[in-house]
């Protein structure tokens, strides 16, 4: 059995994140969401000081060989495979800010939710021009499910976000915040609503913020978001080759890779090396070689490539698409970690956001192994 005093094993995280886990008691920890903006269908689990998101409501998870027993009185739960104990984990508690409502009666967790154990996350606009048409929608996306289920509101106002962020810091020790958004009509592609939201939160509480959107048509928006209070920026590729982009996300693929490259370069000049990142979903059809080739180009620009295993979310066109296996993830993440650290970047140095959190990938664990070596 792994020594709990040591960092988690990257191979085990790859296994759990690609195969999922079965919970003897699904009620443990704070509630996981089925469907909706990601990470969905997951449960946060902690190995010592490292928290990772592991699928629990997906098709692979239902057949996973990994079973997590109910926690003992001390809060520790045994993870077993084929009956053998392989690890012990803890589950972050339900955040206290979830019990509060705004003066209008909107539950705080309809405005923002806890990711991992200390990250506040919100989808400001729960609608998207890509999602409105099945011919244009990203096939992995479930942004509309939370709204349809009544678990969120369509547009979180700056005042609501500031109120919830202030409470999350005070009550639950939240360390940084992720603001993403569905893409609205218009050339700013969501940058305007992100800027006004970041400004409101920063006026209420000193909290590092990552904003996430498609590349704005005008690169001046990068500086506007930075001036408003954003500390880091995410512009997510998801897929890296034109054929996979056009097949998996036909609407978003209308923004060419050349625009992403030029926008990345402009954004790095504003936010700094390593403070601009992109989310890449491994397992959608891109080869490991293609992902690493794209990552090498991004690292050269100063962009942190946050590569995560694709997780099929229920209710989406890709709900039956297989997740990548652990060996595939290792073939990407191990050399990627060398590439990133060799360029002087790391998850730990990102000021806010998905890359800093790192809970949806084993990449940061590989990075720590390289640093210690």
């Amino acid at each position: 059995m792994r020594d709990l005093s040591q960092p988690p094993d990257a191979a085990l995280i790859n296994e759990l994140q690609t195969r999922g886990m079965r919970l003897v008691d699904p009620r443990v920890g704070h509630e996981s969401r089925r469907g909706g903006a990601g990470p969905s269908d997951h449960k946060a689990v902690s190995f010592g000081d490292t928290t990772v998101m592991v699928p629990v409501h997906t098709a692979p998870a239902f057949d996973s060989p990994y079973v997590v027993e109910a926690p003992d009185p001390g809060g520790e739960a045994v993870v077993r495979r084929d009956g053998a104990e392989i690890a012990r984990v803890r589950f972050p508690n339900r955040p206290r800010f979830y019990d509060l409502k705004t003066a209008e009666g909107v539950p705080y967790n309809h405005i923002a939710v806890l990711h991992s154990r200390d990250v506040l996350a919100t989808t400001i606009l729960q609608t998207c021009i890509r999602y409105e048409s099945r011919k244009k929608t990203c096939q992995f996306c479930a942004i509309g499910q939370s709204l349809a289920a009544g678990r969120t509101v369509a547009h979180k106002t700056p005042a609501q976000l500031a109120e919830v962020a202030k409470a999350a810091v005070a009550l639950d020790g939240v360390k940084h915040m992720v603001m993403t958004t569905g893409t609205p009509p218009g050339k700013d592609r969501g940058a305007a609503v992100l800027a006004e939201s970041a400004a409101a939160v920063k006026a209420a509480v000193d909290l590092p913020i990552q904003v996430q959107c498609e590349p704005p048509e005008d690169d001046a928006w990068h500086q506007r978001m930075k001036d408003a209070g954003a500390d880091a920026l995410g512009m997510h590729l998801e897929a890296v080759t034109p054929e996979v982009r056009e097949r998996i996300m036909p609407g978003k693929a209308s923004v060419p890779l050349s625009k992403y490259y030029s926008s990345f370069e402009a954004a790095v000049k504003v936010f700094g090396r390593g403070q601009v990142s992109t989310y890449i979903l491994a397992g959608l059809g891109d080869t490991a070689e293609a992902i690493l080739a794209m990552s090498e180009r991004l690292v050269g620009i100063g962009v942190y490539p946050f590569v995560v295993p694709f997780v099929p979310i229920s209710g989406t066109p890709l709900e039956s698409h297989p997740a990548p296996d652990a060996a595939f993830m290792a073939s990407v993440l191990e050399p990627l970690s060398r590439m990133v650290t060799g360029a002087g970047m790391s998850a730990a140095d990102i000021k806010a956001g998905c890359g800093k959190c790192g809970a949806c990938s084993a990449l940061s664990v590989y990075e720590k192994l390289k640093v210690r070596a």
Side-chain angles (χ1 to χ4, degrees), residues 1-314:
M1 188 188 73
R2 186 183 61 83
D3 181 355
L4 287 174
S5 67
Q6 297 300 312
D9 180 76
L12 176 58
I13 293 176
N14 281 335
E15 275 283 304
L16 290 172
Q17 290 189 326
T18 55
R19 306 191 71 169
M21 63 185 184
R22 291 180 286 141
L23 301 174
V24 170
D25 183 2
R27 300 167 299 174
V28 297
H30 68 84
E31 59 262 37
S32 55
R33 295 176 298 132
R34 293 176 184 262
S40 294
D41 296 354
H42 285 65
K43 178 77 77 169
V45 296
S46 294
F47 297 81
D49 293 332
T50 301
T51 300
V52 298
M53 302 298 291
V54 179
V56 293
H57 298 308
T58 62
F62 298 147
D63 294 322
S64 174
Y66 296 97
V67 178
V68 186
E69 296 180 351
D72 62 23
E76 205 169 71
V78 174
V79 182
R80 295 187 184 276
R81 176 168 180 163
D82 300 326
E85 179 177 340
I86 60 167
R88 296 194 178 195
V89 298
R90 293 180 180 272
F91 294 89
N93 293 326
R94 185 179 190 272
R96 287 182 286 179
F97 79 86
Y98 277 26
D99 295 327
L100 303 180
K101 296 182 179 180
T102 67
E104 300 80 24
V106 180
Y108 276 16
N109 63 348
H110 285 198
I111 297 167
V113 296
L114 187 73
H115 284 188
S116 186
R117 64 180 174 184
D118 59 7
V119 185
L120 186 66
T122 185
T123 303
I124 298 174
L125 300 178
Q126 204 77 32
T127 56
C128 179
I129 58 171
R130 314 295 186 202
Y131 194 80
E132 293 167 359
S133 167
R134 276 301 178 194
K135 293 181 179 180
K136 296 180 179 179
T137 187
C138 300
Q139 302 292 295
F140 50 77
C141 183
I143 190 173
Q145 292 185 17
S146 300
L147 187 60
R151 298 196 303 263
T152 188
V153 293
H155 182 183
K156 291 79 172 177
T157 68
Q160 288 174 331
L161 292 166
E163 180 180 340
V164 174
K166 187 174 182 179
V169 171
L171 296 176
D172 298 287
V174 160
K175 298 293 195 302
H176 56 110
M177 184 173 187
V178 177
M179 292 183 179
T180 189
T181 183
T183 302
K187 294 182 178 181
D188 68 275
R189 297 200 173 106
V193 73
L194 289 166
E196 68 175 4
S197 300
V201 169
K202 275 295 174 71
V205 62
D206 184 15
L207 184 65
I209 298 169
Q210 183 197 46
V211 293
Q212 301 177 350
C213 61
E214 293 186 36
E217 195 64 34
D218 186 348
D219 287 335
W221 277 108
H222 299 315
Q223 190 65 55
R224 292 169 189 158
M225 289 188 286
K226 172 77 170 175
D227 292 343
D231 299 282
L233 172 66
M235 294 186 291
H236 299 338
L237 286 169
E238 274 98 18
V240 302
T241 53
E243 56 269 28
V244 177
R245 294 183 79 230
E246 291 167 9
R247 174 169 54 85
I248 298 295
M249 43 187 193
K252 192 172 178 180
S254 65
V255 181
L257 288 173
S258 58
K259 173 58 182 173
Y260 274 87
Y261 298 143
S262 65
S263 197
F264 282 139
E265 290 173 355
V268 169
K269 291 177 182 177
V270 172
F271 289 94
R273 284 183 55 84
Q275 302 305 324
V276 179
S277 63
T278 192
Y279 217 90
I280 296 173
L281 297 172
L284 293 177
D286 291 318
T287 64
E289 293 77 13
I291 293 172
L292 289 169
M294 174 62 79
S295 297
E296 186 171 23
R297 179 167 187 169
L298 294 170
V299 168
I301 296 172
V303 173
Y304 183 91
F306 187 48
V307 178
V308 306
F310 164 72
V311 175
I313 297 177
S314 54

